[in-house]
Amino acid sequence: MLYAILCYNDEKAVAAWSKPYHDQVMQQLTVVQDKLARQGRLGPVARLLPTTAATTLRKGRENMVIDGPFAETKEQLLGFFIVDFASLDAALAFAKELADANPGTGSYEVRPVAELQEHRLAQERKPAA
Amino acid sequence: MNDPTWLDGVLRSARPTALAALLRYFRDLDLAEEAFQEACLRALRTWPQNGPPREPASWLIFVGRNAALDDVRRRAKQTVLPDEPQISDLDDAEDRLADRLDGEQYRDDILRLLFICCHPELPATQQIALALRIVCGLSVKEIALAFLVSEAAMEQRITRAKARVGAGEVPFETPSAAERTERLEAVATMIYLLFNEGYSARREDAERRAELADEAIRLGRLLLHLFPADPEVMGLLALMLLQRARMAARFDEAGNVVLLEDQDRSLWHAGQIAEGLALIDKAVRHRRPGPYQVQAAIAALHARASTAQDTDWAEIDLLYANLERLRPSPVVTLNRAVAVNKLRGAEAALAMIEPLEPKLSAYFYFHGVRGALLQQLGRTSEARESFGRAIALANSPAEAAHIRQHLDRLQAAPQNS
């Protein structure tokens, strides 16, 4: 079963991390992620820019463009992993490993994927590290 | 949960919101700071075991307020209260507080807190120091280090600044739209000053100072959270991010200044550039240009060019012309001349900056640019004289060394090349 692991946290708190702590957490997450990649269970991974960079199109009789995320929430969607596991328990175990690598506030939503389409971008993109 | 380092980030990011609310409640900066401090101490005691509350800022406000009230009462010897107030059953009160935190009032509270630091009687450096202390929560020691002064001197500076803003009256009523705009402008100016304090560093202290630039960026994001549809706030944040992205490429190993066109663009920070470009795209949609947006758009054109040769100088020239209209200044014209030099040659650029001499004769960069243009035109002895004046006005050894390189090249070149 494919799952999307949606990463939520208070983006202001994440932005307030010291550089050493930020680097430490990223390194810990990379270890967890790499292990999964070696098992062939890791699909696309994305880290999103802060919600201040977001724009929302609200559908209606007349579409409305709004600056910011679709809703003001206490925790924001900061990124996601697409992973392949045999069971929900296994996916939750992975989420637990992520939580240990990145302790404190926040949540990981484990959401089963109904359909995954894989398309290739025409242009090679430099990742924004 | 065993490593409570994550807690620092939560407390730091909750600080502006919590302190601003406590300030409205107590109407006294010192009391609000004490209350926040006490709430943080209790958070450090309880959060590592119990985990963080759902709404850290609300928790801190609630606990801070109660603790300070207890303290006030205890000092007044009116009632004897238990040492540790019962703070386990806060959920209801917290939720009600959280509702209000999402509203307008909370926005005005934080803006007020920022605006207090921009007291017009305070010199710019004191405004910045105060904002770092009060809003960002940096310690006096950290601020002193960044400003290269002793801790005692900085302590004194901040105490004086606080006394001054304490005496001044920033009304607690909801501001009118005009007042809000005025506050927003003053705060934006202060944030950009803070950024430049970090950005215009010499190599020796570039790393320490970079933290100031990062604090400015955090404040910029905070401001954009408060005013998510304001294109100038987007422009300000974009400008800071795009400049910050180039910081790692601004000095070479030996500590010499590396000009934009000579920088190793692979050292530019891709994430900051992506965020800056995204914000400029958003801002432009509003079709309400302003000085920050135009400067950010110029920085964006540099960021988009994969090599110096790919730079769109014609567009940069147009943007500078815009900026000259929005915010006329000889320094803007001087910067425009650099673009004009690339587009129409040194003769045209020199003609553009010659009239600026009376206003910019004490400005290092003016003589540096003038020297370089004269050098291009083969007017060697005049170029040498300009470079000489630039060196005399240099703000740092690195700047002086950079000009000296030009002089060396002049010396090596045949007289009329």
Side-chain angles (χ1 to χ4, degrees):
Chain A
M1 180 68 138
L2 288 179
Y3 295 92
I5 312 276
L6 308 176
C7 315
Y8 290 89
N9 205 342
D10 176 356
E11 63 186 358
K12 287 187 200 154
V14 173
W17 286 351
S18 69
K19 176 107 179 38
Y21 185 65
H22 177 274
D23 293 349
Q24 183 200 329
V25 169
M26 287 307 139
Q27 198 259 330
Q28 284 164 188
L29 285 171
T30 306
V31 172
V32 177
Q33 183 184 320
D34 283 356
K35 200 176 76 183
L36 206 68
R38 278 196 303 276
Q39 298 167 2
R41 293 178 178 280
L42 185 66
V45 176
R47 188 171 174 194
L48 307 176
L49 283 171
T51 57
T52 40
T55 308
T56 302
L57 182 91
R58 197 167 284 283
K59 293 188 291 183
R61 260 223 307 222
E62 274 182 54
N63 293 336
M64 232 189 1
V65 177
I66 304 161
D67 289 295
F70 88 100
E72 284 299 331
T73 47
K74 295 180 176 78
E75 294 179 334
Q76 295 78 30
L77 178 65
L78 304 187
F80 62 82
F81 301 86
I82 301 291
V83 296
D84 185 8
F85 283 110
S87 69
L88 172 62
D89 279 347
L92 280 169
F94 172 68
K96 169 128 194 345
E97 279 185 62
L98 291 174
D100 288 341
N102 180 10
T105 53
S107 320
Y108 291 102
E109 179 179 325
V110 178
R111 182 96 157 256
V113 174
E115 183 187 336
L116 183 70
Q117 299 191 358
E118 292 187 73
H119 302 281
R120 283 218 166 271
L121 296 166
Q123 228 180 329
E124 194 68 34
R125 289 279 161 184
K126 222 172 30 169
Chain B
M1 284 293 161
N2 297 329
D3 172 13
T5 319
W6 56 267
L7 231 146
D8 292 347
V10 178
L11 294 179
R12 262 159 59 83
S13 67
R15 183 183 173 99
T17 313
L19 195 58
L22 289 166
L23 178 64
R24 172 163 44 78
Y25 191 75
F26 291 115
R27 315 234 159 163
D28 180 295
L29 195 52
D30 284 328
L31 201 52
E33 276 196 297
E34 273 169 40
F36 180 73
Q37 205 52 41
E38 180 57 33
C40 286
L41 288 174
R42 293 185 193 197
L44 286 167
R45 277 207 300 272
T46 55
W47 293 6
Q49 283 100 43
N50 307 346
R54 263 179 303 147
E55 260 286 302
S58 304
W59 190 97
L60 291 165
I61 295 165
F62 195 81
V63 171
R65 200 176 59 186
N66 284 353
L69 283 176
D70 286 351
D71 205 37
V72 170
R73 282 191 208 121
R74 209 176 295 139
R75 270 186 232 165
K77 293 196 167 93
Q78 284 174 337
T79 32
V80 183
L81 286 149
D83 279 333
E84 192 73 21
Q86 294 303 307
I87 52 176
S88 56
D89 204 26
L90 290 180
D91 273 2
D92 253 18
E94 254 182 74
D95 276 349
R96 262 178 281 129
L97 207 51
D99 288 342
R100 273 185 283 139
L101 282 183
D102 295 334
E104 289 269 299
Q105 189 168 40
Y106 134 88
R107 183 181 77 168
D108 286 327
D109 281 349
I110 298 180
L111 185 62
R112 178 184 302 112
L113 183 68
L114 284 158
F115 183 66
I116 281 174
C117 304
C118 306
H119 195 284
E121 276 173 34
L122 291 180
T125 50
Q126 285 192 26
Q127 294 186 9
I128 296 168
L130 205 56
L132 286 169
R133 178 70 207 97
I134 295 177
V135 188
C136 305
L138 264 60
S139 70
V140 173
K141 189 177 173 185
E142 285 170 312
I143 302 169
L145 270 171
F147 280 89
L148 310 168
V149 299
S150 77
E151 205 177 325
M154 185 50 78
E155 177 83 61
Q156 201 180 31
R157 219 187 270 179
I158 289 176
T159 309
R160 264 202 227 121
K162 259 196 197 167
R164 216 150 191 196
V165 301
E169 276 109 53
V170 178
F172 280 88
E173 288 77 52
T174 304
S176 68
E179 279 169 334
R180 198 175 283 139
T181 307
E182 194 185 318
R183 290 181 186 188
L184 185 56
E185 273 173 21
V187 167
T189 304
M190 184 272 288
I191 292 176
Y192 194 48
L193 278 171
L194 169 60
F195 178 81
N196 277 308
E197 200 63 42
Y199 189 68
S200 57
R202 297 164 303 179
R203 182 181 180 265
E204 303 86 78
D205 40 55
E207 210 160 298
R208 200 184 304 142
R209 288 241 167 172
E211 285 170 27
L212 296 183
D214 290 340
E215 288 298 336
I217 287 172
R218 280 187 55 224
L219 289 180
R221 283 213 195 93
L222 174 66
L223 208 57
L224 190 53
H225 270 291
L226 301 180
F227 298 92
D230 188 305
E232 270 297 84
V233 179
M234 295 175 200
L236 169 65
L237 181 55
L239 175 61
M240 293 192 293
L241 284 162
L242 292 168
Q243 288 183 306
R244 178 72 181 87
R246 302 199 295 251
M247 230 154 163
R250 289 175 69 219
F251 298 99
D252 66 13
E253 303 264 307
N256 295 312
V257 178
V258 182
L259 289 183
L260 184 57
E261 56 186 319
D262 301 322
Q263 285 176 7
D264 175 359
R265 294 180 183 222
S266 70
L267 295 176
W268 289 2
H269 194 293
Q272 284 160 347
I273 289 178
E275 191 179 347
L277 294 180
L279 288 166
I280 268 295
D281 282 350
K282 282 180 64 169
V284 166
R285 290 194 60 259
H286 287 264
R287 310 209 177 286
R288 269 163 46 209
Y292 291 120
Q293 289 172 76
V294 175
Q295 291 174 81
I298 292 167
L301 285 171
H302 288 300
R304 284 201 163 105
S306 45
T307 66
Q309 285 71 41
D310 295 335
T311 310
D312 188 347
W313 290 109
E315 191 63 31
I316 290 178
D317 179 34
L318 281 176
L319 287 166
Y320 271 122
N322 251 316
L323 193 57
E324 277 182 314
R325 240 182 331 178
L326 287 166
R327 193 175 276 180
S329 128
V331 175
V332 172
T333 308
L334 181 63
N335 283 321
R336 186 179 175 194
V338 175
V340 166
N341 178 35
K342 300 283 182 189
L343 273 178
R344 296 193 282 277
E347 198 90 52
L350 199 61
M352 191 170 219
I353 69 162
E354 290 293 10
L356 308 176
E357 163 105 51
K359 279 177 194 146
L360 294 182
S361 61
Y363 187 41
F364 156 81
Y365 186 54
F366 173 77
H367 297 287
V369 170
R370 186 165 181 273
L373 293 173
L374 289 165
Q375 184 180 1
Q376 274 183 51
L377 292 167
R379 291 159 64 175
T380 314
S381 62
E382 290 165 276
R384 192 172 293 132
E385 197 197 313
S386 268
F387 286 141
R389 292 184 69 182
I391 289 176
L393 292 165
N395 303 302
S396 70
E399 279 183 0
H402 177 73
I403 299 292
R404 220 164 269 124
Q405 280 180 350
H406 280 283
L407 268 179
D408 291 347
R409 247 175 266 154
L410 270 185
Q411 242 83 30
Q415 277 303 302
N416 51 357
S417 65

